[in-house]
Amino acid sequence: MVGTDTYTRYCESCGTPVTEGPEGGYVCGACFHVVEPRGADEARKRRRMERAAMVAAAARLRELRQY
């Protein structure tokens, strides 16, 4: 079965009309309620892992330069 996504053009919290972002999320201009786009959690985890790898690589380079 194929699921379909339906987006409302009104804030879930206060009912103010909102404009969705290019990937489906929005921030309400009236109450600042946030709805993140699909896949935001996975993208956030991926960025954290990339940053951790960059920090570890920088630490290894610092160690090598000390000797």
Side-chain angles (χ1 to χ4, degrees):
M1 179 175 208
V2 176
T4 58
D5 293 324
T6 58
Y7 299 106
T8 59
R9 297 282 184 183
Y10 298 94
C11 176
E12 297 173 1
S13 179
C14 68
T16 302
V18 294
T19 302
E20 293 177 349
E23 298 187 17
Y26 67 84
V27 176
C28 177
C31 70
F32 302 107
H33 177 76
V34 176
V35 173
E36 292 188 340
R38 291 173 292 172
D41 289 333
E42 292 81 17
R44 192 176 301 115
K45 288 176 188 176
R46 187 171 49 251
R47 284 192 303 270
R48 284 184 190 144
M49 290 187 332
E50 290 170 357
R51 272 184 269 168
M54 289 183 344
V55 168
R60 284 193 299 273
L61 283 176
R62 279 193 302 274
E63 284 182 21
L64 290 175
R65 288 181 183 169
Q66 287 179 351
Y67 297 107

